[in-house]
Amino acid sequence: MHNDETIWACLNGDFCSFKVKWTQPKQNFCKNQYNVTGLCNKASCPLANSQYATIIEEEGVNYLYMKTVERAHSPKNLWERVKLSRNFLQALEQINKHLEYWPDHMINRCKQRLTKMRQMLIRMRKLSMKEGTRTVPIKKKTERRERGRELKAETAAKVDLAIERELLERLKQGTYGDIYNFPSRQFENVMNKEGELQEEQELDEELESETEFVEDMGDEDSDAEWEHDLDDRVEEVEVEGMGLGDMEDLRPRKRRRAKPSRPKVELEYEQEMETSR
């Protein structure tokens, strides 16, 4: 026999695994997922009421859950689930339709919970659309374990590669002869890879040998222009206040030519004589 008063007396007076006691303010809460208000009292307890209804959100969709005493003998089919519309007004009409002969306080609590769930979903959508930093949990123990596994795997891979290279060298040299049977296909693949690497190295060496260094042509052009200007121009040196003796000692100095191909420079000297009156 299902007696609500007896069940509530046991849960309230004795132990209940869903009860959470709060000291300040002094209030008891309920962790049961079917609780419509989250408070621990007789009217809100889903275990101590044979006729009960609540709203539960699953993956962004609200559902109306209803429990009746006629299905109490079958826990598998105890709760009846009805999908509510995304339209708020239509969802309220569905609640009124399915809870037509239920107590008014149960209908009002279901509507209040539906309103809260819709507001929560709206806030979730806004936060998901907002751009900004997101906190991501860091599992240090898992990362440390994975790092250790990676180091072990890397060490094992290096050892395997070293063993493989050593065996290939010995097989090439014919150390073992014909006493061992090894997979010829894998051996040929490795040999082909090594041959490709050698060909690439040879190509790189040929490209390096074909590389030539060419002298810059800009300096020759500038030298040719300078020589052409020297051919067209002749320096004129004006000497004032000098005698004939000084003129004999005065001789043109030879320029040091950077290149033997440069032409000679002719210098002409003019003397101005002052006539005595």
Side-chain angles (χ1 to χ4, degrees):
M1 183 178 179
H2 190 84
N3 192 343
D4 297 342
E5 296 295 337
T6 304
I7 295 174
W8 173 247
C10 295
L11 295 176
N12 190 29
D14 295 334
F15 175 76
C16 179
S17 60
F18 299 106
K19 184 187 295 187
V20 177
K21 294 183 179 181
W22 199 259
T23 57
Q24 187 65 30
K26 192 175 181 179
Q27 180 66 48
N28 295 336
F29 295 95
C30 182
K31 296 188 296 183
N32 195 307
Q33 61 176 347
Y34 293 102
N35 196 308
V36 70
T37 60
L39 301 176
C40 182
N41 51 42
K42 174 66 173 62
S44 300
C45 184
L47 303 176
N49 289 278
S50 58
Q51 189 178 19
Y52 198 81
T54 185
I55 305 293
I56 295 178
E57 180 265 334
E58 295 179 2
E59 297 181 358
V61 182
N62 293 321
Y63 293 92
L64 174 64
Y65 280 76
M66 296 173 290
K67 181 179 75 170
T68 57
V69 69
E70 288 81 10
R71 294 190 296 273
H73 67 282
S74 177
K76 178 182 177 181
N77 302 319
L78 183 61
W79 293 92
E80 179 183 0
R81 189 176 74 167
V82 177
K83 183 178 179 180
L84 298 177
S85 176
R86 292 185 179 273
N87 190 343
F88 183 64
L89 297 178
Q90 293 180 4
L92 293 178
E93 292 179 0
Q94 288 178 331
I95 292 173
N96 291 330
K97 179 180 177 181
H98 289 89
L99 304 180
E100 184 176 0
Y101 301 106
W102 288 54
D104 293 338
H105 68 88
M106 187 65 65
I107 298 173
N108 294 333
R109 288 175 180 174
C110 289
K111 291 180 179 180
Q112 290 176 1
R113 185 173 176 84
L114 176 64
T115 305
K116 292 291 183 181
M117 298 299 291
R118 283 181 58 84
Q119 292 175 357
M120 182 193 70
L121 292 174
I122 291 170
R123 288 196 299 271
M124 288 175 60
R125 294 191 188 99
K126 288 182 179 180
L127 290 174
S128 62
M129 293 174 64
K130 184 185 297 185
E131 296 181 357
T133 58
R134 296 185 179 181
T135 57
V136 179
I138 298 175
K139 299 179 181 179
K140 294 184 178 180
K141 187 175 181 180
T142 304
E143 289 183 356
R144 185 166 58 253
R145 182 169 59 249
E146 294 296 332
R147 197 182 304 114
R149 290 177 180 175
E150 289 176 1
L151 292 175
K152 291 180 181 178
E154 185 178 358
T155 305
K158 289 181 179 179
V159 172
D160 293 341
L161 291 174
I163 294 172
E164 184 179 356
R165 284 195 296 267
E166 183 66 24
L167 289 175
L168 288 173
E169 290 295 332
R170 294 185 181 183
L171 289 172
K172 288 180 186 178
Q173 297 173 3
T175 305
Y176 301 114
D178 298 332
I179 60 175
Y180 290 107
N181 294 325
F182 57 89
S184 59
R185 183 180 300 175
Q186 296 180 2
F187 182 73
E188 291 176 357
N189 291 336
V190 174
M191 294 296 294
N192 293 332
K193 289 181 181 179
E194 292 183 356
E196 292 177 358
L197 292 174
Q198 291 179 359
E199 291 178 359
E200 291 180 359
Q201 292 177 359
E202 292 177 358
L203 289 174
D204 294 339
E205 292 177 357
E206 291 178 359
L207 291 174
E208 290 178 358
S209 62
E210 293 177 358
T211 306
E212 296 180 358
F213 297 94
V214 182
E215 186 179 359
D216 191 5
M217 302 300 293
D219 297 339
E220 294 182 359
D221 296 340
S222 61
D223 292 342
E225 292 178 359
W226 181 71
E227 292 174 1
H228 182 69
D229 294 339
L230 286 178
D231 292 338
D232 296 340
R233 295 182 180 181
V234 178
E235 282 192 23
E236 297 180 357
V237 180
E238 295 181 0
V239 181
E240 296 180 2
M242 298 179 63
L244 292 175
D246 297 333
M247 288 295 296
E248 292 179 359
D249 297 335
L250 183 61
R251 293 179 182 179
R253 296 180 181 179
K254 295 182 180 180
R255 291 178 174 269
R256 291 185 179 179
R257 292 172 293 181
K259 294 183 180 180
S261 60
R262 291 182 179 177
K264 296 181 179 180
V265 181
E266 296 180 0
L267 301 178
E268 294 183 2
Y269 298 92
E270 294 181 0
Q271 183 178 4
E272 294 181 1
M273 301 296 295
E274 295 181 358
T275 57
S276 60
R277 295 180 181 178

